[in-house]
Amino acid sequence: MKGEVKLLPYLDEPTSLVGKTFLLHGQPSRIESIRLHQGTVLVHFEGKDRTAAESLRGIQLFLPKSELPSLPEGAYYDWQLKGLAVVTESGKDLGVLETILYNPAANDVYETSLALIPAHAQFVLSVDLEAGRMVVSDDPGLLK
């Protein structure tokens, strides 16, 4: 379709963005359709032709938090996890979750100044957003 742009979404279900409105170059623009083509997500914004689509190259799209799709219990957005205090189940302070290392071939990894923690239930025991804390297993292999 003419006027489509490639999108690198940070969502499991990019089709949930259909109908959402973003600001593009200061103007509100609604996503009219999303389709998958050869492993790529292609988006068409309402009223955008090929020339307009080319002007969008390299921009980032953000949704207000109120527009984000809800997640199942136990799933979190990255922005909710960054900045959490990370402690072991025995109470050892491992620092603050600073970075999420994305690994499509295996588990993502949460990084603090002291540890690398696989994003897996075996290692991440609990997340308490209200308390600002993540509890991880007492595994010496997590320490840098």
Side-chain angles (χ1 to χ4, degrees):
M1 176 184 282
K2 293 182 179 178
E4 289 179 319
V5 294
K6 287 182 185 178
L7 180 69
L8 301 173
Y10 293 101
L11 294 169
D12 292 333
E13 295 293 329
T15 56
S16 66
L17 298 175
V18 172
K20 302 286 186 194
T21 299
F22 295 84
L23 283 180
L24 302 176
H25 302 298
Q27 300 297 316
S29 297
R30 185 177 162 274
I31 292 181
E32 184 173 67
S33 65
I34 294 179
R35 68 185 179 102
L36 301 177
H37 178 69
Q38 297 180 351
T40 302
V41 177
L42 299 174
V43 175
H44 183 259
F45 286 95
E46 201 170 76
K48 301 289 184 199
D49 62 12
R50 183 179 182 145
T51 302
E54 286 176 5
S55 75
L56 302 176
R57 187 175 302 222
I59 70 167
Q60 291 184 328
L61 300 176
F62 297 95
L63 275 175
K65 290 177 185 176
S66 62
E67 293 285 324
L68 291 171
S70 58
L71 297 175
E73 188 173 329
Y76 305 94
Y77 284 107
D78 296 354
W79 56 268
Q80 293 176 299
L81 298 176
K82 289 181 180 178
L84 291 181
V86 180
V87 297
T88 65
E89 57 191 323
S90 66
K92 181 176 180 174
D93 180 7
L94 296 182
V96 172
L97 197 156
E98 300 167 350
T99 307
I100 299 174
L101 306 170
Y102 302 100
N103 185 351
N107 295 310
D108 293 340
V109 176
Y110 301 140
E111 183 176 20
T112 73
S113 59
L114 300 173
L116 293 169
I117 304 131
H120 188 278
Q122 176 183 347
F123 300 101
V124 179
L125 305 178
S126 68
V127 173
D128 185 341
L129 297 178
E130 287 185 23
R133 188 170 115 143
M134 176 185 288
V135 177
V136 300
S137 63
D138 278 306
D139 187 324
L142 301 179
L143 301 177
K144 287 183 176 179

